[in-house]
Amino acid sequence: MAVPKSILVIGAGELGLPVLHSLSHLASTFSPSSRPTITALFRPSTLSSPSSSQSRVVSSLHELNVQFLAVDIASSTASELATYFRKYETIISYTGFSGGPGTQLKLAQAVLEAGVYWYYPWQFGVDYDIIGPEAASGLFREQCDVRQLLRGQTKTKWTIISTGMFTTFLFEPSFGVIDKVEKGSGKEVVVRALGGWDNKVSLTTPDDIGKVVADLVLRDLRTGVVFTAGDTVSYGQLADAVEEKVGKEKVRRQLWSLEHLQTELERDPENGIKRYRVIFAEGRGVSWEKPSTVNEERGITTTDLKSFVASKDTVVNEH
């Protein structure tokens, strides 16, 4: 198959929306006869009674000639989903972990039952093959199960895109790596290293992921696991970048050792954020060198850490 005739994107959140925009813009450069139809799957309530923010998303996608499919994934069985999926040659899942346990496996089973030609599952993150199903109390067990399911068949082609951590997530206050705290009459930025200052993490912004996915789906079809990274940095380099932005005197470095984070997780074993911290503190399967990525190979411009820190969207710019 060359360019797919029909593409279904499941979800239009932080990652799904940039992908839909990138797919639509790239598809618009194709001749009308070879231009694929792009459909976004939403919950029925999102289309029938959208919030103001949802309405803006739907309107923006209408302008891009994106079509819509209303399906409640949570209440549907794999076989029921398969009846919807059969009409699409390529399906890309962006439901993320918010769908709840079992959702990723159900979607993969539905894709295989439907006989979809090409599938891009929700695997936009770390290298689950290296991390394995048991790490951090089985945080990524379902992701590993999806890989096993896809590898155990030959009918549906699949591509897994390992993106590392979303750059935006690294700056989420709830994650705790970058934190703004009171200091006397002012404020300071605390930069915390997970496991060690030399530990590395690969980062890709959602917008850059959108560009890479569009290129892979419409131009550079390849099977298996591929890697992206806007940057790969140590926590020490992260602290350096923040200091360069806000001033060294406003930044405090703090090490969260692996032992400390494991103890915190033992006290609160169901806490997803604490599970993530342990995974990144262990430092396995969370980083790869940028020259080995598909975006470097394809010459796709991506956002490095320094550029992201300089952007208006990060907590360090609130000083």
Side-chain angles (χ1 to χ4, degrees):
M1 186 181 75
V3 177
K5 294 184 176 65
S6 55
I7 301 169
L8 175 66
V9 176
I10 303 174
E14 180 186 13
L15 184 52
L17 191 58
V19 169
L20 282 163
H21 279 263
S22 292
L23 279 171
S24 299
H25 287 307
L26 185 54
S28 69
T29 66
F30 287 51
S31 66
S33 61
S34 61
R35 191 175 301 158
T37 60
I38 300 171
T39 303
L41 186 152
F42 285 95
R43 295 186 188 94
S45 60
T46 301
L47 296 178
S48 62
S49 54
S51 65
S52 57
S53 61
Q54 291 170 337
S55 182
R56 287 192 294 271
V57 168
V58 170
S59 295
S60 72
L61 294 177
H62 266 303
E63 294 175 1
L64 294 173
N65 296 315
V66 172
Q67 300 180 11
F68 299 94
L69 174 66
V71 177
D72 188 339
I73 292 174
S75 64
S76 300
T77 66
S79 293
E80 288 169 342
L81 292 174
T83 62
Y84 294 103
F85 291 173
R86 286 193 179 98
K87 63 185 290 189
Y88 302 99
E89 290 184 355
T90 295
I91 294 181
I92 314 169
S93 175
Y94 294 105
T95 53
F97 297 112
S98 62
T103 299
Q104 306 309 322
L105 266 176
K106 180 166 67 173
L107 288 172
Q109 290 162 349
V111 164
L112 299 186
E113 184 176 335
V116 173
Y117 185 74
W118 211 302
Y119 184 45
Y120 296 78
W122 173 262
Q123 300 263 328
F124 302 91
V126 294
D127 189 338
Y128 304 117
D129 287 332
I130 290 179
I131 292 174
E134 302 305 323
S137 304
L139 178 62
F140 299 129
R141 183 176 290 114
E142 187 172 354
Q143 301 298 82
C144 293
D145 290 345
V146 168
R147 293 189 179 207
Q148 184 177 8
L149 180 66
L150 294 175
R151 286 169 170 151
Q153 56 82 50
T154 57
K155 185 177 180 181
T156 294
K157 295 182 181 293
W158 52 271
T159 305
I160 285 170
I161 305 172
S162 297
T163 61
M165 187 188 298
F166 294 180
T167 313
T168 47
F169 186 68
L170 183 66
F171 288 81
E172 274 292 322
S174 62
F175 190 46
V177 171
I178 304 289
D179 200 5
K180 186 176 64 175
V181 299
E182 302 294 332
K183 182 183 179 182
S185 59
K187 297 177 182 178
E188 69 176 356
V189 178
V190 180
V191 180
R192 299 186 178 99
L194 303 182
W197 291 105
D198 292 329
N199 273 9
K200 290 186 176 182
V201 58
S202 289
L203 307 166
T204 316
T205 69
D207 285 344
D208 289 342
I209 295 170
K211 291 189 292 184
V212 172
V213 171
D215 184 75
L216 288 170
V217 171
L218 297 178
R219 284 180 173 162
D220 184 43
L221 282 74
R222 58 177 79 186
T223 58
V225 181
V226 301
F227 295 84
T228 73
D231 213 341
T232 295
V233 299
S234 67
Y235 291 100
Q237 291 171 318
L238 170 63
D240 292 342
V242 174
E243 287 178 350
E244 184 177 339
K245 174 64 182 179
V246 304
K248 191 170 184 178
E249 72 283 356
K250 295 182 179 180
V251 176
R252 175 163 56 91
R253 301 186 184 212
Q254 181 180 5
L255 172 63
W256 275 352
S257 69
L258 176 58
E259 293 75 18
H260 164 73
L261 294 172
Q262 287 173 331
T263 299
E264 289 292 302
L265 179 57
E266 288 170 3
R267 293 171 178 166
D268 191 9
E270 300 304 314
N271 189 304
I273 290 293
K274 292 181 179 180
R275 288 182 176 186
Y276 275 111
R277 289 172 183 163
V278 168
I279 291 290
F280 284 96
E282 288 175 336
R284 296 175 59 254
V286 299
S287 69
W288 36 87
E289 295 306 314
K290 189 173 179 179
S292 67
T293 61
V294 67
N295 48 282
E296 284 292 288
E297 177 190 335
R298 296 285 295 164
I300 299 172
T301 302
T302 53
T303 306
D304 61 17
L305 175 68
K306 187 174 181 180
S307 299
F308 187 84
V309 170
S311 74
K312 58 181 173 56
D313 298 321
T314 61
V315 67
V316 299
N317 289 295
E318 296 177 14
H319 290 260

